[in-house]
Amino acid sequence: MCVFAQTQTIRGVVTDQESRMPIIGAAVVVVDSDPIIGTTTDLDGKFHLPKVKVGRVDLKITYLGYAPKTLSGIELFSGKELVLNVEMQEMVMKQEEVVVKATRRKEEVLNTMTTVSARVFTTEEASRYAGTRNDVSRMATNFAGVRGANDATNDIVIRGNSPTGLLWRLEDIDIPNPNHFGNLGSTGGPVSMLNSNVLSNSDFLTAAFPSEYGNGISGVFDLKMRHGNNEKHEFLGQIGFNGVELGAEGPFSKKSGASYLINFRYSTLALFKLGGVDFGTGDATPQYSDLSFKVRIPTKKAGIFEVFGMGGISSIDFLASESTDNSTNFYSQGGLDIYDRTKTGVTGFTHTYLFKNASYLKMTLAASTQLNQDVVDSVDITKHPFTWYKQNFQDHRFQGSIYYKMKFNAKHNLKVGTRTTVFYSILQDSAFIPTWNDYQTLTDFDGVTALLQPYAQWQWRWNDAWTLNTGVHGQVLTLNGSFAVEPRLGLQWKLNPRHRLSLAYGLHSQMVALDRYFLVVEDSLGNKENPNRNLDFVRSHHAVLGYDWSLPFDMRIKVEAYYQYIYNAGIDRDSSSYSSLNVGSFTQDGPDDIVNGGTGTNYGLEITFEKFLTNGYYWLLTASLYDSKYTASDGVERNTVFNGNYVLNVLGGYELQLNRKNPKLRDPKPNYTEKQLKRFKKKQASRLATKHSLKFDVKFTLAGGSRYTPIDLVASDAANQAVYIDDLAYSKQFEPYYRLDLGLTYRMSRPKVTQEFTASCQNVTDKANPLYNQYNPDKNQLVNVNQLGIYPLLQYKVLF
């Protein structure tokens, strides 16, 4: 009897991870293939493995003088070729035979000058982990030291820091908030524009990052877009919570190697609304769409040219003037019409030129924009709206980045570069003051400023056990002359192939939110001043000690202890509890007059116990114990609003193959014609080749509750609005947060087509986790507003 099996092609390129020069003659083998499937790389470092069985695949790549690499658990689809970019590290001590295999694990990040507190993640993890909604930010909340700030948005708190301390980087360009409905100065939103279908493996860093990263004090998402398939046209369709998506990729011509990649998405909830389905946020329906693309053009002599982009528009209206007694608006404010409009986009051009002396030069030019345009109308009992707040924030950025990287030999690597960002900003908002019978200017700026960031970093591997990463980062803000010189240092010692110690230090600086520089203090006579224009950078010392233990059976234990000291934080000029270290989702507005001088400390211990996805299952257990404190202008040390003190994540999953080993096949009828017999055999072959699988995923999170400030009930009753007790800021804590998420995915792989059906549910137990509280004047008490309850999600995806 004939045996039919689905196969697909694996191909790619193997390069030196420092110089990016192609490695000629490297052996690439499919592990445990019988008969053996393998090849060697050609003069361009390329390899091609046809007819590999679909499913989970392990690849081993070896080359004399380089540490061998094993890529484990790669998922191969019938409807999509697998294209890999493999980087290998040259060994300092050359050996004829290496006994211990090198494996790409999560501790081995893409940026080779990173020492500690970093992890490489795959886009598969963003879709595999329960509760992530294909969102890299939500995926990161599973990692040690990270927690979500809000179930409804993807803001993340890293080691007790405000979500605003996060740096987003895409294709070597610092980008504005890449989320729909994201505000200027924030880093999160309800729905990410970063489509996991177009992203490649990327790095996530949480402390003491290398000197090429600046203007961030809590963490870095260093994201890469994958290349489109340069030999074959492929397509994608998907519908789910995040939207309805269409994607395409393929070659411009197979001879040139040039390729394109494009993906468009439109809000599912908006489509339901057009169809008359009342689903989502009550009467207020979020509408959004986004587009991502990348074009890659390699040449033989002039280098590699790339053009990339990402952009989205979003809007939502909460209209009290059109509400009825039975209508609902999620997160709306009673008696208000709120019109929210957001537009964000970034596009860039990159040129990479490889020199023959094991070095290369990369230049990137990019432009980005972020528009927040809001109008808030108050609505009286007659349903007549009156505009009392108007906002027009436009942040246009023009960015240039250039760096040169030189590999002197296996021991020494140097990278020097600079990054310049020019801000052209229009920042205007105002609010109506009844006693003035006029509008008060809150923010007013229309002009240009720039941020300059030169850097240099050097790596010294004096043998295969010891590695020193060191560098310096500079930062200058032309608006007021603020500058910083930031040393970075990392030391790594591999005691043996399974045990590793790491120590790192870094000084990091960050601008305050751009609109804070241009806050206006205006009196009733129209006199205005800008008290915050000379604000300095917020600065932070990071120190981290880490230990990694690679266990047998694809397991790993990682422990990190860290200390962070923050100074120059923004605080109230007058004595109060305000600090910029507490800025985040649903925190109170700050004062108009801000000065530097606040401090903060974050320290803690993190443990990760992980079983990588092999043999059809994985698990990840992370535990974090931490303390987060700050001191404001009143000189009192307090808990930050993000000081939950502990986070525990337990998640895992299992893949079950449903195909029977020896399926029963019926015989053809004896009276079949030749044509019918041919059709019958084709159907039988398709049936035998079709693969079915189920994936089960589960996640449980337990975390300490966020902090909040109590109110003065007597003063609040007299004022008919909340009056907070400033002396007791963040002295109260919500009850512990816990959430259970489940996911189930059924996959059917036919020749050239793969389909996936996913059903997941967040907060299965419908736990009422407090998000924030608000004052109820009728009851004269604070009332908790809870996060999302039980939340089912469905998704369908097809690759062909």
Side-chain angles (χ1 to χ4, degrees), residues 567-639:
Y567 63 103
N568 263 16
I571 55 176
D572 195 345
R573 185 178 297 274
D574 299 324
S575 179
S576 78
S577 66
Y578 171 81
S579 172
S580 61
L581 303 184
N582 293 310
V583 173
S585 298
F586 302 107
T587 54
Q588 291 91 6
D589 292 334
D592 296 329
D593 194 347
I594 303 172
V595 297
N596 297 109
T599 61
T601 56
N602 296 306
Y603 58 90
L605 180 69
E606 301 167 357
I607 301 174
T608 298
F609 181 32
E610 181 171 15
K611 159 62 170 69
F612 299 113
L613 178 55
T614 54
N615 300 320
Y617 70 99
Y618 74 93
W619 76 69
L620 174 64
L621 187 153
T622 62
S624 306
L625 298 175
Y626 67 98
D627 193 49
S628 179
K629 294 288 201 301
Y630 81 100
T631 302
S633 56
D634 61 3
V636 179
E637 185 181 59
R638 298 181 172 89
N639 293 301

Side-chain angles (χ1 to χ4, degrees), residues 42-112:
D42 62 15
L43 294 176
D44 296 318
K46 296 179 180 179
F47 66 91
H48 189 274
L49 297 170
K51 298 183 179 181
V52 181
K53 288 184 180 181
V54 301
R56 296 287 175 182
V57 177
D58 295 345
L59 284 184
K60 185 173 182 179
I61 304 96
T62 57
Y63 186 70
L64 185 63
Y66 281 73
K69 182 183 296 294
T70 299
L71 306 180
S72 301
I74 306 171
E75 195 162 22
L76 185 60
F77 297 100
S78 61
K80 184 174 181 58
E81 286 187 346
L82 181 60
V83 183
L84 300 172
N85 294 311
V86 182
E87 296 180 348
M88 300 186 71
Q89 184 183 56
E90 186 179 2
M91 293 185 297
V92 176
M93 304 297 292
K94 302 295 189 296
Q95 301 174 24
E96 294 298 324
E97 181 180 359
V98 180
V99 177
V100 180
K101 70 179 182 180
T103 304
R104 168 65 77 183
R105 296 302 193 192
K106 299 298 184 289
E107 71 270 21
E108 296 182 13
V109 294
L110 301 179
N111 189 325
T112 58

